[in-house]
Amino acid sequence: MKKKKLVLVGNGMAGVRCIEELLKIDPDTFEITIFGREPYPNYNRILLSTVLQGDTSINDITINEMEWYEQNNIQLYTGETVVEIDKVRKQVYTDKDRQVEYDELILATGSLPFMLPLPGADKEGVTAFRDIQDCQTMIESAQHYNKAVVIGGGLLGLEAARGLLNLGMEVDVVHICDYLMERQLDPTASKMLQKNLEAQGMNFLLNKQTDEITGSDRVEGLLFKDGSKVEADLVVMAVGIRPNVQLAKNNGIHVNRGIVVNDYMQTDSPNIYAVGECAEHREIVYGLVAPLYEQGKILAEKICGVESKKYEGSVVSTQLKVSGVDVFSAGDFLDSNDTNSIKVYDDFEGVYKKVVIRDDKVIGAVLFGDIGEGPKLLNMIHDRTDISDLSKVTILQDSGDESSKSAVITMDNSEVICGCNGVTKGEICGAIVENGLTTVDQVKDNTNASRSCGGCKPLVQDLLEYTLGDEFDQSEIKEAVCGCTTLSREEVIEEIKSKNLKFVKEIMNVLGWKNEEGCSKCRPALNYYLGMLYPSDYDDEEESRFVNERLHANIQNDGTYSVVPRMYGGVTNANDLRKIADVADKYDVPMIKLTGGQRIDLLGIKKEDLPKVWADLDMPSGYAYGKALRTVKTCVGSQFCRFGTQDSTQLGMDLEKKFERLNTPHKVKMSVSACPRNCAESGIKDVGVVGVDGGFEIYVGGNGGTHLRAGDLLCTVEKEEEVIETTAAFLQYYRETAKYLERTSKWVERIGLENVREVLFDEENKIRLVARIEETLAHTKDPWKKIVKNKEKQEKLFQNLETQASGRV
């Protein structure tokens, strides 16, 4: 039978979810074509803020890889926009002069960011925060400028502000109202949020209305209607979105605020439907993911001819983590004359709960700090539960009560756990039992629960524990290496050892990887695990490394590279400085910059010049690009400083010479301070050493980057040799037990400082750890020198390889 032609305009979350639902019902009826304006496969727009904040990459938020489209015989055109619909001939036309016929046409054109029509809004340095390109604009701006202003104190604005803070910018948030997130929070919760965010470094300008964006070609500041001003190098507008209806409007489809649809998502034009943020249903346009997925499911059933229920609108709920703060709101959460409310306020714990009741029914709720009761309250709102027989106090559990550890236990099977995807407790529990699921990732793959915002992951884990009962073992809760396998890091490593696997592809083949080529997450991890397990035998697979590590230099936003030669302990000499100066002149290096780690960074070097630069420098690689020891920062020390109690400079040089070129799960930074004044910032390094009278304090697990963390005092030793030995044992234990891309700060928190101490303070354990790291160090070689001597590798790496600015494999 000839397949019907289905065209989807828009490759976003709502439209593609509709296609997923359609494929579940009937994978063989339609010949599917999708057009996407952006040059990417379908990605999770909700998680864009995590990319901006540096927690994930663009690859990590991709929902469906290109392979998914191929496997489902979907013709995807990215970077291509549908510009015309011929409703008579049933054809669409694109901006690339393509025409495609349809039997059924779905418009999922999403929404556009609303840009305030202010004087100066067209200046360079003014951007929205809506897509990947906006993210990249902000990331690039942060590399050159210091001061950002975000207009809009809603969720999107606050997420943008948090990301810009992480990028090192000073951030002001301008909001027209007198409190933040007024659509999701009441004034009490909002003020608690503001206090928390101010402690993180955000500055708020409330009750401010922007009158003009000032500057010449590039933005320089904002002028407010009250006459006050604020300086800005970057302005991010996060003031809302509007449905993208232009295509429908231009082609005679009924449009109001959005594309008007009926209860089955049909427009007023035959065989044309609309779904998602562009659709207007009963005069409401939804912007949250849960209603959009609900619409997509009903539309899929309609197009497949399945008898289904109508779409009758959605009760909107929001469960969010705003810059690390848990927030939940649903329904009508503001007080009015005909409502009563129950409130819990704990200023000590930073917890606020409010439930709004009308006519013995819960109609809204706001939770701040502790959102465990969110799903239960949402279901009470959905079901219009009569609470006249309940003690009102029991609606909110006491946070100190034992039962509050898992609110899901008392929920009915019909109650929704994952609001984004509409997955109930019963569906999750059933999937766990029927399919033997043991991890959150498995539940996600099987049911879609936690697939979108991820806010319900703790509840899903609670359900795993609740459903598996005595069979549940917290220690066995595992996190798969990536979506290519269900195996955890520990299981993969055990399999490598037991089956004597020696190659990345071999691991994937033998262990049944879903994707035979792996992905950007598992390939570098497997390469690292093999090198860690077989230090003397394993040939590093450079094709499995990130681009920066493959080329041994950091790619920059303009495609050039930065080169940082090794300077042990941050100490240099006149000869090395002359060589660096000569190289800078010879290769016309546009910028020479001192780094925070006391090194010299040569920026703007062309890829093809890298081997020649390394040859002329004749200095070791500084590994500024690698998952390895980066730098050992030192203070002047007792040799010159009148306060110094120890020779920090020499110890720093000794540590760096000892552990340079050591591959680790993530980058490692060290420092040595000669006294408790701590001029080398030893408290925020992976390993920080502080000289004290008669010895040294060793701190571990510090982090001065995105996730600021003070190091924990591991121990105090008397001699330099003990510092080096303890550091060796610590690093090897970290190498052997950390997940790939897990910093020591996260690792120490995960396994516990006492665990680290117990292992390292056991003398036999320590000796074995040191022996294994010595074996590894004995087989390391400087990568720059290897490449300088190898013409074939130079041609392969620096003349043929196409690199990506993302720095990903």
Side-chain angles (χ1 to χ4, degrees), residues 40 43-62 129 131-140 159-160 162-164 166-167 706-707 806 808:
Y40 309 101
Y43 67 88
N44 190 338
R45 197 179 301 276
I46 299 171
L47 299 180
L48 267 180
S49 59
T50 65
V51 175
L52 184 64
Q53 291 167 20
D55 296 331
T56 59
S57 70
I58 291 169
N59 289 340
D60 295 329
I61 66 171
T62 299
F129 180 31
D131 55 26
I132 289 174
Q133 181 57 50
D134 295 332
C135 255
Q136 290 174 336
T137 298
M138 285 188 268
I139 291 170
E140 289 167 11
E159 293 287 11
R162 180 62 259 179
L164 292 166
N166 288 359
L167 293 170
T706 303
H707 304 287
S806 65
R808 286 287 184 186

Side-chain angles (χ1 to χ4, degrees), residues 486-524:
T486 59
L487 298 175
S488 67
R489 170 202 174 278
E490 290 74 19
E491 288 172 329
V492 169
I493 288 179
E494 192 55 41
E495 292 283 351
I496 292 173
K497 290 193 284 191
S498 65
K499 292 183 168 63
N500 197 29
L501 306 177
K502 294 294 180 68
F503 303 97
V504 171
K505 289 292 293 264
E506 184 186 18
I507 295 171
M508 295 174 181
N509 291 334
V510 173
L511 302 186
W513 242 240
K514 296 174 192 173
N515 179 0
E516 63 180 19
E517 295 297 325
C519 68
S520 60
K521 198 170 181 181
C522 63
R523 279 161 47 202

Side-chain angles (χ1 to χ4, degrees), residues 187-216:
T188 303
S190 176
K191 290 300 177 186
M192 294 175 76
L193 177 66
Q194 181 179 340
K195 182 180 176 183
N196 193 301
L197 297 179
E198 285 172 341
Q200 295 182 28
M202 287 186 211
N203 182 49
F204 293 99
L205 303 172
L206 303 179
N207 280 318
K208 290 285 186 184
Q209 189 171 359
T210 308
D211 193 40
E212 180 182 351
I213 296 175
T214 59
S216 50

Side-chain angles (χ1 to χ4, degrees), residues 545-582:
R545 285 192 174 265
F546 294 105
V547 168
N548 285 348
E549 292 186 299
R550 202 153 64 219
L551 298 185
H552 302 282
N554 270 331
I555 191 169
Q556 304 297 300
N557 59 9
D558 61 354
T560 64
Y561 289 79
S562 81
V563 168
V564 181
R566 181 72 75 185
M567 287 181 178
Y568 301 102
V571 176
T572 186
N573 55 56
N575 187 45
D576 283 347
L577 291 175
R578 285 192 192 93
K579 286 193 289 188
I580 290 171
D582 290 343

